[in-house]
Amino acid sequence: TVSVLYWRPAPRNPMGNSAFKERLEKAEKTKILTADGVDLDDWDDVTKHGAKLGACRTVSLANNKLKKPVPAKFVGTPGFGATLRSLDLSKNGLADVAAFATGVAPGKGGDLQYAIAVAKKRDSVTPSLPALEVLDLHGNAIARLPPLFLAAMPKLKKLHLQGNHLADPSPGKPEESAAAIALWLVLADNLAHVDLSGNRLTVLPLAPRGDAPADALASEDKATMSAVWPLMRVESLNCAGNKISRASPGASFEAPFKPRPHLRSISVASQADLRAVDPRLFALGKKLVDVDIDGNKAKPAILDDLRAEELYKAFVERRAGTVDRQLAAGVDATLAD
C-alpha cells in the first residue's frame, strides 16, 4: 500500500491582517500609521485600504514581511502626493523598489537631456510623492536603485539605505560604477542627509554621470547641474562600513570639479580595506568640517600622507576655526587628527 500525501497551502485569511486594520483605524484620527512588526506579507492587504492610507502624513510598515516588489499601486495611493511626509519600509527583505521611479519614461532613465528636462519641469514625472521628506529603506536586500530614483520625490530631505546589498554596477571598474551610481542620486534638489553605510560599495557616490560632455560638467545652469552631479545639496553622507579602498570624489584630475556647498560631513569609517583618501575630498565645500576615517587599519598611514597635502592643511585650518567658534559659544567640540 502506497500512501500519497497532498500538500495544500493554508488559505489566506479573508479578513486580512486584523492588527494592520486596527492600526489603520487609529490612524484615521492621528494621520500617523505605525504598523511595524504586524506580520504583513502581502501588499494587497495594504493597498486595498487606499482611501484611509492616503490620508496619512506618516506611514511606517517596518519589520514586516513585504518582500515582493513595492507595487506602483502603493506609491500611487490617492492622497499620498499631497499628504505623505515620511515613509518607513525598513527591515522587510525588499529587493525591488523600482516603483518609486514609475513616472520615469521607459528607457529614458539614462538619457541626459531627458534628466535635464525633468529637472526644469518636475511635474513631467508622474506618479510622484511630491511631499515626501523622509524615506527609510534600511535593512532590506536592495542591490541597486533605478535610474532617476529621486525624480518623483523633489522634497526628499533624508534617505536611509544603510544595511542593504548596494554594490558596484560594474564590479572591478570603479569609474564606470561611479558614473552609473550617479544616475541613482541625481535630481536630488533637497536631499540633505544620506546614509549608505553597511553596503558593498567600493566608490563614493559623488562622481558625475558618465555620459555628460565637458560643457555639461562645467555648466552653472541649476537644472543641468542637478541632472549631472549626484547629491548636489547633501549635508551629511555616511558611507561607513562599505568596501571603499580609496575614498575619492571620483572625477579625474583634468575634469571640472564641482564642490558641494552645503556638505558638512562625510564618513568612510570602518571600510574593509581603506588604503588612501584623495586630498580633493577635503575641498568639496567650505562648510565641510568632518571627514570620518576612524575604524580603518591604515588610518595612521593615511593621515601621514594627507598632512603633506595643501588641501588637507586648509581643511584642518578651517575645522580649527569652526571649533574655536563652537568653544566660544559654549558648545563642546573636538579637533580632527
Side-chain angles (χ1 to χ4, degrees):
T1 302
V2 178
S3 298
V4 179
L5 299 178
Y6 293 94
W7 176 84
R8 292 186 178 88
R12 283 186 53 78
N13 180 358
M15 297 300 291
N17 187 299
S18 58
F20 174 69
K21 290 196 291 186
E22 289 175 6
R23 305 287 178 88
L24 198 57
E25 288 173 2
K26 292 180 180 178
E28 284 192 81
K29 294 181 179 180
T30 64
K31 308 302 180 186
I32 299 173
L33 172 62
T34 304
D36 300 345
V38 295
D39 290 325
L40 278 172
D41 61 2
D42 193 313
W43 283 105
D44 287 342
D45 286 342
V46 180
T47 57
K48 69 183 180 183
H49 299 288
K52 295 180 179 179
L53 195 65
C56 294
R57 294 190 302 270
T58 298
V59 173
S60 181
L61 304 176
N63 199 27
N64 282 291
K65 301 173 183 177
L66 296 168
K67 296 181 179 181
K68 293 182 178 180
V70 178
K73 186 177 180 181
F74 172 75
V75 176
T77 296
F80 267 3
T83 62
L84 190 63
R85 300 291 191 276
S86 176
L87 176 61
D88 186 349
L89 298 176
S90 62
K91 297 183 179 180
N92 271 285
L94 280 170
D96 188 339
V97 292
F100 287 103
T102 298
V104 175
K108 290 287 190 177
D111 183 86
L112 175 59
Q113 295 306 315
Y114 174 77
I116 293 174
V118 170
K120 291 181 176 179
K121 188 179 180 183
R122 283 293 185 160
D123 60 3
S124 63
V125 172
T126 55
S128 63
L129 295 172
L132 193 68
E133 297 179 356
V134 180
L135 178 59
D136 192 341
L137 296 170
H138 86 266
N140 283 297
I142 301 166
R144 61 181 57 196
L145 300 173
L148 308 192
F149 172 69
L150 300 169
M153 298 173 280
K155 290 188 178 180
L156 195 68
K157 297 178 180 178
K158 296 181 180 181
L159 177 60
H160 298 276
L161 283 163
Q162 64 269 34
N164 275 281
H165 300 168
L166 290 171
D168 294 0
S170 300
K173 300 178 179 179
E175 290 187 7
E176 289 185 21
S177 290
I181 288 171
L183 293 179
W184 301 349
L185 300 171
V186 294
L187 303 182
D189 291 350
N190 290 290
L191 190 55
H193 306 285
V194 180
D195 194 337
L196 296 168
S197 61
N199 280 283
R200 304 169 184 178
L201 299 172
T202 69
V203 293
L204 284 172
L206 294 170
R209 54 188 298 154
D211 60 346
D215 60 336
L217 288 172
S219 175
E220 297 297 326
D221 175 67
K222 289 184 178 180
T224 302
M225 292 172 68
S226 179
V228 169
W229 296 89
L231 305 177
M232 280 299 296
R233 296 186 64 85
V234 69
E235 295 177 17
S236 66
L237 175 61
N238 186 358
C239 290
N242 277 275
K243 298 183 177 182
I244 298 169
S245 60
R246 184 174 186 271
S248 168
S252 69
F253 284 101
E254 293 76 24
F257 188 60
K258 293 290 180 184
R260 300 306 195 283
H262 306 281
L263 184 61
R264 295 178 180 275
S265 67
I266 299 176
S267 177
V268 287
S270 304
Q271 302 298 314
D273 187 26
L274 184 69
R275 298 188 294 273
V277 176
D278 189 329
R280 294 178 306 149
L281 197 66
F282 297 91
L284 276 172
K286 293 182 179 180
K287 293 183 179 180
L288 180 63
V289 293
D290 185 10
V291 179
D292 186 0
I293 61 172
D294 286 345
N296 291 295
K297 293 180 180 179
K299 178 180 177 181
I302 291 171
L303 288 174
D304 283 344
D305 291 340
L306 286 172
R307 289 185 183 113
E309 299 288 343
E310 293 302 320
L311 291 176
Y312 180 72
K313 292 177 183 178
F315 163 79
V316 173
E317 291 178 5
R318 185 170 66 248
R319 181 181 171 88
T322 299
V323 171
D324 288 343
R325 288 191 294 274
Q326 290 175 335
L327 292 174
V331 178
D332 290 337
T334 56
L335 188 60
D337 291 314

